[in-house]
Amino acid sequence: MRLSRAGEYAVRCMLYLSMAGKGVLVRRKTVAREMDIPEQFLGKIAQQLARAGLMEIVQGAKGGFRLMVFPEELTLLAVVEAVIGEIFLNDCVLRPESCHRSPDCKVHQVWTEARDRFRESLQKATFASLMDCR
Amino acid sequence: MRLSRAGEYAVRCMLYLSMAGKGVLVRRKTVAREMDIPEQFLGKIAQQLARAGLMEIVQGAKGGFRLMVFPEELTLLAVVEAVIGEIFLNDCVLRPESCHRSPDCKVHQVWTEARDRFRESLQKATFASLMDCR
DNA sequence: ATAAATAAGATCATTTTTATCCTATATATA
DNA sequence: TATATATAGGATAAAAATGATCTTATTTAT
């Protein structure tokens, strides 16, 4: 079980935009080259990040990407979930039928709590704090 | 991102064996039927659980599975990781090269901590406590 | 108008996951 | 000891998810 490649690319992309600063336009080609991301694939990922309101895509000549939030407000959780969807939205571990008969299923509870803890950790991490990474 | 089907099956299987009790032999066919698991596939999963020392497989006529630990000592984490491997053993989110140049990479740290928290939650959940699930 | 840059749908390739088939092996018991 | 029963384990197939690219369309600066 691991973070998907798309998730990694998204983080790299947002890290690069964070270093450039909120509102600063950066060409897609530059992000792709500098952060080692296939450019077309980055295009797809960018669409998801833009839909989530995290960045803006500017078309046309001199187009590119632009961070829409302050790195201080941008969390690892927001970026990752924008791309790979809600983390651990799992079908119940028990049989589906027996499960929706019991909303108080213990397995389900444990799983949910574990997920919440995980998300909390990622939510605490802002890109401002991640940028120091070198 | 979700738990794999194999992981779900493993939990269901161990839950059934827990209800039978440690050391009690249960036929594979019975587990498969009762817990809604493809029997051959269960065979594969059982091998992994057996290798991890969580259960024993008995061959031959009157063969089957047998729980090797007390439900009080069996954790959700042990079962899940026996089947799907270490959780979140992710390649670094940053470029691999830049990453192994910096063992103090912030992204890596956050990710590692989030994973640890997640595993803690699953480790606290014993099958004895999960059995109440109905 | 033209050139440069991204959008978006289609498509392809790869990998992972899920599942099954088949032959071998182990074991209870007749 | 022979037979029937049950699981082991390797090979393989089918399906799904993921990763990546191709092509055409659209947008925008100059």
Side-chain angles (χ1 to χ4, degrees):
Chain A
M1 201 187 224
R2 54 178 268 283
L3 180 63
S4 72
R5 191 66 69 90
E8 285 187 28
Y9 289 161
V11 175
R12 286 188 209 174
C13 171
M14 295 309 264
L15 210 40
Y16 194 80
L17 295 185
S18 290
M19 290 188 290
K22 175 182 175 183
V24 176
L25 192 114
V26 183
R27 291 206 300 157
R28 184 176 78 176
K29 188 180 303 185
T30 305
V31 177
R33 175 169 29 82
E34 292 299 310
M35 299 309 268
D36 234 333
I37 308 172
E39 196 183 338
Q40 305 273 2
F41 195 22
L42 174 58
K44 299 296 180 194
I45 294 165
Q47 286 170 32
Q48 297 179 278
L49 293 169
R51 249 179 257 128
L54 306 181
M55 56 169 263
E56 191 181 55
I57 300 176
V58 179
Q59 279 201 43
K62 302 239 171 175
F65 302 154
R66 162 187 292 153
L67 190 63
M68 292 300 281
V69 296
F70 288 107
E72 289 77 16
E73 297 164 343
L74 182 62
T75 70
L76 201 48
L77 181 67
V79 172
V80 168
E81 291 203 333
V83 172
I84 68 176
E86 192 181 355
I87 289 181
F88 308 127
L89 181 61
N90 68 302
D91 339 338
C92 188
V93 182
L94 287 179
R95 288 174 293 171
E97 332 88 63
S98 82
C99 196
H100 72 59
R101 269 204 300 264
S102 69
D104 45 53
C105 161
K106 279 279 183 66
V107 177
H108 200 88
Q109 282 173 25
V110 170
W111 205 255
T112 299
E113 196 199 298
R115 182 202 58 192
D116 291 347
R117 287 285 145 71
F118 185 77
R119 294 177 80 249
E120 267 169 29
S121 303
L122 295 191
Q123 187 144 38
K124 274 188 265 175
T126 71
F127 273 68
S129 74
L130 295 177
M131 280 194 298
D132 313 348
C133 195
R134 97 206 76 257
Chain B
M1 199 186 223
R2 54 178 268 282
L3 181 63
S4 71
R5 191 68 69 89
E8 286 187 29
Y9 289 160
V11 175
R12 287 189 209 173
C13 170
M14 295 310 263
L15 212 39
Y16 194 82
L17 295 186
S18 291
M19 290 186 292
K22 174 182 175 183
V24 177
L25 192 114
V26 183
R27 288 208 301 157
R28 184 175 78 177
K29 188 180 302 184
T30 305
V31 177
R33 172 169 30 81
E34 293 299 311
M35 299 308 269
D36 234 334
I37 308 172
E39 195 183 337
Q40 305 273 1
F41 195 24
L42 174 57
K44 301 296 181 193
I45 294 164
Q47 285 169 32
Q48 299 180 279
L49 293 169
R51 252 179 255 127
L54 306 181
M55 56 169 264
E56 191 181 55
I57 300 175
V58 178
Q59 281 202 40
K62 304 241 172 175
F65 303 154
R66 163 186 292 155
L67 189 63
M68 292 301 280
V69 295
F70 288 106
E72 289 77 15
E73 296 164 345
L74 183 61
T75 71
L76 201 48
L77 182 67
V79 172
V80 169
E81 290 203 334
V83 172
I84 69 177
E86 193 180 354
I87 289 181
F88 307 128
L89 181 60
N90 68 304
D91 338 340
C92 187
V93 181
L94 288 179
R95 289 173 293 171
E97 333 87 62
S98 81
C99 196
H100 72 57
R101 269 205 299 266
S102 67
D104 45 54
C105 162
K106 278 280 182 66
V107 177
H108 200 89
Q109 282 172 25
V110 170
W111 204 256
T112 299
E113 198 199 298
R115 182 202 57 192
D116 290 348
R117 286 287 139 71
F118 185 77
R119 296 178 77 249
E120 266 169 31
S121 303
L122 296 191
Q123 187 144 39
K124 273 187 268 176
T126 71
F127 272 70
S129 74
L130 296 177
M131 278 193 302
D132 311 349
C133 195
R134 102 206 74 259

